[in-house]
Amino acid sequence: MSDSLLRLSSLSCHFSHGREQLAAVDGVSLELAAGEVLGLVGESGSGKSTLGRLIAGLETPSSGEIVFAGQRLPPRRSARALRAQAGQLQMIFQDSYASLNPRMTIAASLAEPLQALGLSGAEVRAKVQTWLQRAGLGEAFAERYPHQLSGGQRQRVGVARAFISEPKLVICDEAVSALDVSVQAQIIQLLRDIQRDSATAMIFITHDLAVLGSLADRIAVMYLGELLELAPCRQLLERPLHPYTRQLLAAHPEPELGAPLALATRGQSSELPLALSSDVGCRFAGRCPYVQPACRRQPPWLQASQSADALVACHRLAWIEGGAKD
């Protein structure tokens, strides 16, 4: 992408696990355009939240490169560097209560990122008032504290706090998964409206494919630290190519999402194995209905589909695209 806002090159994050190295993120490369919404999906333990934290500077990469807004970000970002980037890169967390200071009023929490940018008191007060209204809260919430708000109201504050400084990128880490379904829809609509008006790029991390249909431009699928499929949103939902993506769709309660091509999980355990840096072959081989001996010997790589606008990491991609009948 010539207008890429974010570029990840072979990004990895490994942690010590006894004598082994746990590969939370392993060699992920992708680009995000300015104003684009990327859905990042996978089961719990797939590495998607760690990837988001790496981009935000909350985790330190073991290797690889992050280029944001044309600048290479250092592996370790100091507290001063994180404050400096706050005007351009923000994050919305799953736990709305833990992400807010319980001793600060809602107005003070919203004012904090603006004060870090050096805005005057009058400018800060005006923006806080505007964003309280835009988030669907109103002035009555300005002097309240986090414990006086519901989970949905606190997440509205989190959304307003992330966008109030007009950043170039907002990372939403399971931002609606802890909310009731009806509240989820309201927060998704709020994000959709704000993103449409501001053209801010977003990475929306979730395990729920249903929330991405009307929000994301593209979807990236992760499994055990690796990127397995990357495709436009509607195309991936209607014609998934990687066997893992098909299993994710098969497990979804909404039948219209990829039902004709979805593969059943055949009663396999939902608990993921550990991803180790010493792994050989495809990490999905143990759960794949199409596995061949070669899959266990050599790791797959992202390759362009011949029939769709997609990148897929699968040794058997050509066979799958051909109909998978032999």
Side-chain angles (χ1 to χ4, degrees):
M1 297 179 186
S2 58
D3 59 343
S4 64
L5 171 68
L6 176 72
R7 186 177 74 250
L8 310 181
S9 301
S10 301
L11 192 65
S12 296
C13 182
H14 295 180
F15 300 101
S16 295
H17 183 73
R19 296 183 179 181
E20 297 275 6
Q21 288 287 309
L22 182 65
V25 174
D26 208 14
V28 171
S29 297
L30 59 83
E31 294 190 31
L32 180 74
E36 181 184 15
V37 179
L38 176 72
L40 187 59
V41 302
E43 296 166 274
S44 297
S46 63
K48 56 190 187 298
S49 290
T50 302
L51 183 62
R53 292 176 64 84
L54 286 170
I55 297 168
L58 303 180
E59 294 286 356
T60 301
S62 305
S63 60
E65 183 179 72
I66 303 174
V67 177
F68 175 67
Q71 294 188 339
R72 183 182 183 276
L73 299 182
R76 291 184 180 274
R77 278 169 257 176
S78 63
R80 185 174 182 179
L82 290 172
R83 285 194 297 270
Q85 80 173 26
Q88 298 191 62
L89 197 161
Q90 286 285 336
M91 196 161 184
I92 303 173
F93 298 92
Q94 176 180 356
D95 190 338
S96 59
Y97 189 78
S99 65
L100 297 173
N101 188 329
R103 297 183 179 182
M104 293 175 66
T105 64
I106 300 307
S109 290
L110 293 179
E112 195 173 34
L114 299 175
Q115 292 166 343
L117 295 176
L119 272 66
S120 69
E123 290 174 312
V124 169
R125 286 191 293 273
K127 275 188 168 287
V128 168
Q129 185 177 23
T130 296
W131 277 92
L132 281 171
Q133 296 291 346
R134 195 169 185 182
L137 295 172
E139 294 181 36
F141 286 82
E143 299 306 314
R144 295 185 187 180
Y145 290 86
H147 73 273
Q148 296 176 303
L149 276 61
S150 68
Q153 290 168 340
R154 284 195 298 268
Q155 200 58 291
R156 288 178 180 272
V157 175
V159 170
R161 195 174 191 273
F163 283 92
I164 197 170
S165 60
E166 300 179 5
K168 295 179 179 178
L169 172 63
V170 172
I171 301 170
C172 304
D173 186 10
E174 297 281 7
V176 299
S177 62
L179 305 174
D180 292 339
V181 174
S182 60
V183 181
Q184 283 185 13
Q186 295 170 13
I187 300 299
I188 290 294
Q189 184 63 53
L190 176 63
L191 285 168
R192 186 185 301 123
D193 292 343
I194 293 174
Q195 196 280 330
R196 180 195 60 216
D197 295 341
S198 64
T200 301
M202 284 201 308
I203 297 177
F204 195 91
I205 300 169
T206 182
H207 62 272
D208 186 357
L209 284 159
V211 304
L212 296 177
S214 59
L215 182 66
D217 299 306
R218 291 187 300 158
I219 297 178
V221 180
M222 285 190 71
Y223 180 76
L224 293 182
E226 297 177 330
L227 190 62
L228 296 190
E229 185 165 359
L230 179 63
C233 177
R234 182 48 55 184
Q235 176 184 294
L236 184 138
L237 295 178
E238 294 179 351
R239 188 170 181 260
L241 292 173
H242 197 283
Y244 177 61
T245 308
R246 294 184 176 192
Q247 287 193 3
L248 286 179
L249 290 168
H252 200 278
E254 297 294 334
E256 68 270 21
L257 293 183
L261 291 173
L263 296 173
T265 56
R266 300 180 182 179
Q268 294 165 344
S269 171
S270 60
E271 185 174 345
L272 297 185
L274 294 178
L276 303 175
S277 60
S278 59
D279 288 340
V280 177
C282 176
R283 289 189 173 128
F284 187 63
R287 299 174 66 183
C288 182
Y290 300 148
V291 64
Q292 295 289 298
C295 301
R296 303 184 187 276
R297 294 194 297 264
Q298 182 180 2
W301 60 92
L302 279 175
Q303 54 184 306
S305 163
Q306 297 300 309
S307 63
D309 179 19
L311 295 174
V312 185
C314 181
H315 290 302
R316 310 208 70 196
L317 176 60
W319 179 76
I320 292 171
E321 290 189 285
K325 297 178 180 178
D326 62 320

